[in-house]
Amino acid sequence: MKPVIDILEERISAAMAAAVGRSDCAAIVRAATDPKFGDYQANGVMALAKKMKTVPRQLAEEVIKNLDVDDICEPPEVAGPGFINLRLKTQLIADKLLEINKDSEHRLGVEQTSQPKTVVVDFSCPNIAKQMHVGHLRSTIIGDCVCRMLEFLGHKVIRQNHIGDWGTQFGMLIAYHRRQIDIAADYATGKVSSFPHVKDLEEFYKKASELYGSDASFAEEARSCVVKLQSGNPVMCSSWERIVDWSRNEIYPIYEKINVILKREDERGESFYKGMLSSVVAELKKKGLAVESDGAVCVFPEGFKNKEGKPLPFIIQKSDGAYLYATTDLAALRYRVDELGVDKILYVTDARQKLHFEMLFASARMAKWVSDDIELSHVMFGSVLGEDGAPLKTRSGENVKLKELLDEAVERAKAVVEEKNPDLDKDKKDEIAKAVGIGAVKYADYSNNRTSDYIFSFDKMLAMDGNTAPYMQYAYARIKSIERKAQTRDVDIEHELAGLKTLNLTEPAELDLAKTLSRYGEAIQAAAADYRPNYLTAYLYELAQKFSGFYTNCPVLDAGSDKRPTRLLLCDLTAKTIKHGLSELLGIEVVEQM
RNA sequence: GCGCCUGUAGCUCAAUUGGAUAGAGCGUCGGUCUACGGAACCGAAGGUUACAGGUUCGAGUCCUGUCAGGCGUGCCA
């Protein structure tokens, strides 16, 4: 089903073209800024009038004469400086809902794209041997949501988890691991009497880096481990694998916990590209793009200046011969273009890396490794801040661990469930607490503009009012409650919905809700076009609000037989839309009761 | 120094990319209750969109300058 907004855009653009006799006309149809203006407004006439040097309102009248939208709208009106206001016919809304109802299990009236693209989404990217912290949360869930939206719209999405598994930090980790093994052996044979127990990876990393900083001989050993590892020494490699696997045991349960679709097969860590790095440098040198400067090998992409106003280097090989993330990113980019056949690559990382990606893209384009029709986008996001406005830290100044943060959210949600609904059995309570707690954290992140920083607050995100996950979940649970109640009253919902041939939308609250339901596709399009989940959350919030209005004004089960089927449909589609938006696109669970 | 980003109600955030009278929630004040789930609903007060100019029929959004904060800026990622 083609979105109404697209139909209007086409028809009004055509009417504009007919009115002035030129083809470059854009109607710029948007949702109306105020309900009193109708449902949609076309903003394009005023810009066109400027180009044509005519009076906007007159031109708008002219456009309307050439416009035929009788099948979908009430007569269009010219308003203000030259807007064209459009109000949809109630009949159209009713027809749309019936149409949506035909496939409400899957598409909910949302069209698939006619131009599917192959899109690589590079996201999450945790560092091996380090705990995931809140910074990783944003990349992970925003990336996941972008993938889900693009997939739902019919694009081919290739998830790429570019994990940090090949940096110089592996020297100290491996060296430390070797020491541990030695000590363990000595302990087993009785040579030493105690075995320093390391409780988790976090501590392992901390101890290794402490030793690295304080013990020169260990540091030396660490450096030699890196060299050995990179030349394929089997002992080093086995330690490396052990450490990477150890990390996976922490990372994957977190993905599962937060409902992120990211599997082992999506992993293309830095180590994956290790064999391609030397040829990246060699080829760039051959093309004359990479040159030596102060001992390092650099590309100087056009348009970037350093502090002295001289060309800014994109360093691809250090003076000691080691490669950097720039090199790996270039290799990854080539792999994605050449082997994965992409139309688009999205990098979901924080805003601080903006310059890096601008230089990466510029370098790759200079090398002609990526053609002009391939889109490269840095889908950046702001930082998560504490209540004091500074980057979120624990009291002792450390990064807040993601696992602990999630546990606390679930715990707090649990307390609310206990208070509100003490009679539920324990498993139910746990299930609700998990859905609400995790959902709240994710939703709070999604509902902010991706590019801005936001202040993390448990109290705000777990609030049941406002634009929060629990508010949406609550609306869903209330509908499910109506459905349960229907059974006790011998109302056969399926039967009533199946027999529905026309809708009876007379109450303003009904029509409002119906219109909002019919716009789900528009919301997803808008969110997917700019990779901005907050457009989707804003829509879901509006939907839940419209439902609340409907719910308080329009009894469903007690409605007469002329109204009840329509209202049951409104409930059914609202529940399905909320569920789809939350669980399929945002990865947030819904619950039948809460 | 240079570059990028940010500055919107007491607080936390929106504003579909230049559209109409800048919207929500929290907090404050005032209402609704025999309730298909009160984790709800309705209403009010609260704004010179940091400041000063400019472009435009129209500016929170674009341009210039100022102020404040953040980030980045050659061998971390």
Side-chain angles (χ1 to χ4, degrees):
Chain A
M1 201 182 345
K2 192 160 194 160
V4 178
I5 192 168
D6 290 352
I7 298 172
L8 290 171
E9 181 74 34
E10 268 174 33
R11 292 209 200 158
I12 298 171
S13 297
M16 287 162 69
V20 299
R22 53 193 287 174
S23 58
D24 59 333
C25 296
I28 315 182
V29 177
R30 296 284 121 90
T33 52
D34 191 311
K36 78 181 176 216
F37 299 135
D39 299 312
Y40 295 94
Q41 61 187 52
N43 301 334
V45 173
M46 289 165 292
L48 180 62
K50 189 187 290 187
K51 269 195 243 169
M52 303 292 296
K53 297 190 169 43
T54 57
V55 183
R57 285 194 65 112
Q58 264 174 31
L59 181 59
E61 297 289 355
E62 212 49 43
V63 170
I64 285 176
K65 278 184 204 153
N66 285 283
L67 180 63
D68 180 13
V69 286
D70 284 354
D71 52 332
I72 49 184
C73 294
E74 304 296 340
E77 285 168 17
V78 176
F83 295 99
I84 297 176
N85 288 340
L86 304 137
R87 191 178 301 275
L88 300 180
K89 288 185 166 164
T90 302
Q91 188 56 50
L92 178 86
I93 302 295
D95 290 346
K96 278 201 77 114
L97 288 205
L98 289 170
E99 185 73 26
I100 291 169
N101 187 38
K102 283 186 196 160
D103 192 17
S104 63
E105 294 301 328
H106 303 102
R107 300 301 312 174
L108 286 160
V110 181
E111 255 207 338
Q112 300 219 33
T113 178
S114 55
Q115 296 159 323
K117 302 262 197 262
T118 300
V119 187
V120 158
V121 184
D122 179 326
F123 70 108
S124 192
C125 315
N127 282 320
I128 290 303
K130 278 191 191 167
Q131 282 266 357
M132 284 176 88
H133 54 82
V134 289
H136 295 110
L137 177 71
R138 295 209 82 181
S139 177
T140 304
I141 69 176
I142 292 170
D144 185 50
C145 174
V146 167
C147 289
R148 287 164 179 261
M149 291 193 297
L150 293 175
E151 276 165 349
F152 183 61
L153 292 175
H155 297 287
K156 183 185 171 195
V157 172
I158 303 172
R159 290 153 193 258
Q160 295 278 278
N161 194 359
H162 194 90
I163 61 174
D165 63 354
W166 201 249
T168 43
Q169 79 275 23
F170 273 94
M172 70 183 195
L173 292 170
I174 290 172
Y176 193 69
H177 186 232
R178 302 313 309 171
R179 282 206 176 181
Q180 290 263 299
I181 290 173
D182 290 345
I183 296 170
D186 287 350
Y187 181 62
T189 56
K191 263 199 210 166
V192 294
S193 57
S194 71
F195 180 66
H197 182 69
V198 175
K199 73 174 190 301
D200 59 22
L201 211 47
E202 172 88 355
E203 198 184 324
F204 183 88
Y205 190 96
K206 213 185 285 174
K207 288 200 166 165
S209 64
E210 269 170 24
L211 208 52
Y212 187 84
S214 64
D215 183 334
S217 72
F218 178 79
E220 187 49 47
E221 199 180 321
R223 278 188 286 273
S224 97
C225 284
V226 179
V227 176
K228 286 187 200 160
L229 174 70
Q230 297 195 338
S231 59
N233 176 303
V235 174
M236 298 299 136
C237 286
S238 94
S239 268
W240 174 78
E241 265 169 40
R242 178 76 181 63
I243 294 166
V244 174
D245 264 340
W246 197 354
S247 281
R248 288 197 180 104
N249 291 339
E250 302 219 359
I251 293 166
Y252 285 97
I254 288 184
Y255 290 156
E256 195 171 332
K257 191 171 198 166
I258 60 179
N259 278 311
V260 163
I261 302 170
L262 206 40
K263 308 285 178 220
R264 258 310 280 280
E265 60 264 30
D266 301 320
E267 255 185 46
R268 292 287 183 282
E270 291 168 348
S271 65
F272 179 81
Y273 302 101
K274 60 179 188 264
M276 311 172 200
L277 303 179
S278 58
S279 71
V280 162
V281 174
E283 276 199 46
L284 287 171
K285 276 184 173 168
K286 202 169 134 199
K287 284 173 189 272
L289 293 171
V291 292
E292 212 175 293
S293 167
D294 291 345
V297 181
C298 311
V299 177
F300 291 92
E302 290 157 24
F304 296 90
K305 292 208 172 21
N306 71 4
K307 25 185 135 174
E308 285 92 38
K310 294 186 185 142
L312 188 65
F314 191 54
I315 301 176
I316 56 175
Q317 190 170 21
K318 301 203 292 187
S319 45
D320 66 0
Y323 301 112
L324 303 93
Y325 75 131
T327 332
T328 310
D329 271 341
L330 281 166
L333 192 148
R334 277 183 98 189
Y335 170 78
R336 289 162 187 177
V337 171
D338 296 343
E339 305 296 322
L340 302 179
V342 296
D343 300 307
K344 223 185 245 197
I345 309 176
L346 308 178
Y347 294 85
V348 187
T349 72
D350 75 276
R352 287 174 301 197
Q353 297 185 44
K354 190 169 185 278
L355 183 62
H356 166 72
F357 283 105
E358 283 172 353
M359 296 182 83
L360 172 70
F361 299 163
S363 300
R365 292 204 191 273
M366 277 168 73
K368 305 276 186 233
W369 283 349
V370 40
S371 60
D372 291 345
D373 54 343
I374 294 179
E375 176 188 329
L376 302 173
S377 277
H378 179 206
V379 179
M380 60 183 180
F381 52 83
S383 309
V384 181
L385 308 176
E387 308 252 8
D388 56 356
L392 190 64
K393 299 275 173 182
T394 61
R395 247 169 309 197
S396 53
E398 293 173 338
N399 281 327
V400 176
K401 292 173 201 161
L402 186 50
K403 201 160 63 181
E404 288 171 6
L405 180 136
L406 295 170
D407 287 345
E408 182 170 354
V410 173
E411 215 171 281
R412 285 174 181 240
K414 181 88 183 286
V416 178
V417 180
E418 288 289 358
E419 182 202 327
K420 303 286 182 189
N421 248 324
D423 299 335
L424 292 171
D425 58 64
K426 191 185 169 298
D427 288 352
K428 259 285 180 293
K429 283 182 196 160
D430 286 343
E431 185 196 328
I432 294 164
K434 180 168 173 281
V436 171
I438 303 288
V441 172
K442 291 183 71 175
Y443 193 94
D445 198 298
Y446 285 138
S447 63
N448 284 310
N449 184 332
R450 151 170 81 65
T451 56
S452 46
D453 297 348
Y454 75 93
I455 293 181
F456 187 94
S457 157
F458 276 122
D459 289 336
K460 189 191 163 197
M461 65 181 63
L462 283 167
M464 309 300 153
D465 315 291
N467 191 6
T468 63
Y471 182 82
M472 247 59 66
Q473 288 165 322
Y474 178 62
Y476 180 83
R478 290 218 285 195
I479 298 172
K480 290 293 144 183
S481 173
I482 293 178
E483 289 174 9
R484 284 192 297 273
K485 195 128 247 166
Q487 286 173 2
T488 69
R489 295 214 203 157
D490 285 329
V491 176
D492 187 340
I493 296 178
E494 266 186 47
H495 183 258
E496 293 205 19
L497 291 184
L500 200 53
K501 293 284 177 285
T502 56
L503 296 193
N504 185 357
L505 297 168
T506 45
E507 295 291 326
E510 293 171 327
L511 190 57
D512 256 9
L513 178 58
K515 280 179 177 172
T516 308
L517 283 167
S518 73
R519 286 182 169 184
Y520 186 43
E522 285 173 25
I524 297 175
Q525 297 283 8
D530 279 332
Y531 322 115
R532 290 176 58 164
N534 71 313
Y535 284 177
L536 182 57
T537 58
Y539 168 83
L540 291 172
Y541 182 45
E542 187 188 339
L543 179 64
Q545 278 182 314
K546 298 286 194 223
F547 175 75
S548 284
F550 162 80
Y551 182 90
T552 42
N553 290 307
C554 306
V556 177
L557 297 177
D558 291 332
S561 59
D562 59 328
K563 297 233 118 216
R564 194 164 69 190
T566 294
R567 289 180 180 177
L568 285 170
L569 179 68
L570 288 170
C571 288
D572 184 58
L573 293 183
T574 302
K576 283 174 175 159
T577 304
I578 290 175
K579 182 177 183 182
H580 188 271
L582 286 183
S583 76
E584 298 299 317
L585 298 182
L586 300 177
I588 294 171
E589 307 271 350
V590 292
V591 286
E592 305 277 315
Q593 40 184 316
M594 60 187 284

